[in-house]
Amino acid sequence: MKAPSSLRYLSLLALVEGASLVALIGVAMPLKYFAGLPEAVRVVGMTHGGLFLLATATLAVVLARGHLSPLKGASVFAASLIPFAGLWSHRMLVRNIAARSSQGCPT
């Protein structure tokens, strides 16, 4: 059986939101402070903020549906606050999806 679509969507969002955090800290912030371009932080920061809110809302839906344990949900949320941890979060969610698919868990 296929894993729940909300869990697959959360996995993708973890990757995209994590990349936006890296872009904010690694690209936009240096552009603001070293090149005098505060617009970079405004644009990338707003994009990251929107992705963060979307990922958090999706995580709440996944947890409410019981597709992820509260401990793993807390780990996903904590990872969204740390640069490059979104990659770990994505990988953990992909493993969870694969395990659910091999066990035949209902959607």
Side-chain angles (χ1 to χ4, degrees), residues 12-23:
L12 176 64
L13 272 175
L15 191 60
V16 173
E17 187 273 335
S20 74
L21 178 59
V22 171

Side-chain angles (χ1 to χ4, degrees), residues 27-60:
V27 177
M29 295 294 285
L31 284 174
K32 177 181 179 178
Y33 291 108
F34 300 125
L37 295 170
E39 299 83 24
V41 170
R42 252 182 259 135
V43 171
V44 178
M46 284 180 55
T47 303
H48 169 68
L51 288 168
F52 178 79
L53 291 174
L54 184 60
T56 302
T58 304
L59 176 60

